[in-house]
Amino acid sequence: MDKKQRAALIAAIEKHLGKHGPKDWAKVRDRFPGVPESTFWRIAKQVKEAPASPEALTNARKRISARNRGDKAVPPVVSPALPAVPNPAIVAKEGDEAFRGFDYLKEVGTLYEDAKLLREFSMTTDGKIRIPAYFEKSIARRENILDAAVSLMERFHSIETSEKVISIIIEEISAADKDTQIRIMKRLYAVQKNIGVYVPSLSEF
């Protein structure tokens, strides 16, 4: 493969990542039938792992700008913990998947409040469990929401923003049962190693 063809392949892979993310590779692979399979995947891996090029970042910013013109406002309950837009470096590598993840994080507050309403519905006014099945569902739903938020947080946010998101998660799980607290805190401790933010110990709340 000559330099011109390699450059064209790299550009195509970058463009594909910026729109579709790391999936549906046939869209790119079919355009370069002469490139050996092993060479294609080696270059794709290199492009995915390398910092986004200036052109890829510019295209990502254009997508973000165009999308935000018609975007809804961030719900007030979570707006203090979220940046105004996704990180262009993430969009350049994950395309539509980055937007989907960011949209989910914008809705975390609303989704969590909905799950809490399910809990309230399952209980009597004096705090006793009225419908055990719904009570269990409310717990599972809140756990799933928090788990997903922790998983996405590392990819989408700066250290400052991550600290804010962590504070919200900790505030919510402080009212959860001990097993749930331990499980989610273990996940936060794992995230902490990668993004360098402080996560309090269970004994601190």
Side-chain angles (χ1 to χ4, degrees):
M1 181 171 55
D2 58 31
K3 290 183 178 180
K4 185 176 181 180
Q5 186 181 31
R6 180 184 175 85
L9 175 58
I10 290 174
I13 291 172
E14 276 200 330
K15 185 176 181 180
H16 178 83
L17 288 172
K19 180 171 178 55
H20 304 287
K23 63 178 185 179
D24 299 332
W25 286 106
K27 297 177 184 293
V28 184
R29 188 75 187 92
D30 292 347
R31 293 173 53 192
F32 298 86
V35 176
E37 195 81 9
S38 60
T39 301
F40 176 87
W41 292 116
R42 185 179 70 254
I43 294 176
K45 183 175 184 292
Q46 291 171 352
V47 174
K48 283 194 296 181
E49 294 177 351
S53 69
E55 183 178 358
L57 289 174
T58 296
N59 290 334
R61 292 189 184 98
K62 287 179 180 178
R63 287 202 68 194
I64 292 169
S65 177
R67 189 176 184 278
N68 283 347
R69 282 197 290 270
D71 203 7
K72 295 180 180 179
V74 178
V77 70
V78 291
S79 59
L82 296 172
V85 295
N87 187 331
I90 299 296
V91 174
K93 296 295 182 180
E94 299 191 17
D96 293 338
E97 288 301 310
F99 288 118
R100 276 191 280 273
F102 188 76
D103 286 343
Y104 178 86
L105 282 175
K106 284 167 60 177
E107 295 296 328
V108 163
T110 300
L111 291 170
Y112 198 88
E113 288 302 314
D114 289 345
K116 287 170 69 176
L117 286 175
L118 181 61
R119 181 181 185 274
E120 291 176 12
F121 176 75
S122 71
M123 301 179 72
T124 62
T125 55
D126 57 356
K128 295 180 181 180
I129 297 175
R130 181 169 64 94
I131 310 176
Y134 282 10
F135 185 80
E136 290 292 333
K137 284 182 180 180
S138 75
I139 293 174
R141 182 59 178 150
R142 282 178 286 150
E143 286 184 6
N144 290 339
I145 292 168
L146 293 176
D147 279 343
V150 172
S151 297
L152 290 167
M153 180 179 60
E154 181 180 6
R155 289 161 47 207
F156 289 110
H157 298 296
S158 65
I159 289 178
E160 180 182 0
T161 305
S162 295
E163 288 175 341
K164 292 177 181 178
V165 176
I166 285 175
S167 68
I168 288 178
I169 292 173
I170 289 175
E171 181 180 347
E172 295 294 348
I173 67 173
S174 63
D177 63 89
K178 206 67 176 179
D179 289 342
T180 299
Q181 289 179 358
I182 291 172
R183 185 174 60 79
I184 294 180
M185 288 303 292
K186 283 182 178 179
R187 294 197 63 197
L188 285 177
Y189 294 146
V191 171
Q192 173 184 242
K193 296 177 182 178
N194 294 326
I195 60 178
V197 299
Y198 171 71
V199 176
S201 65
L202 279 170
S203 62
E204 294 182 55
F205 64 95

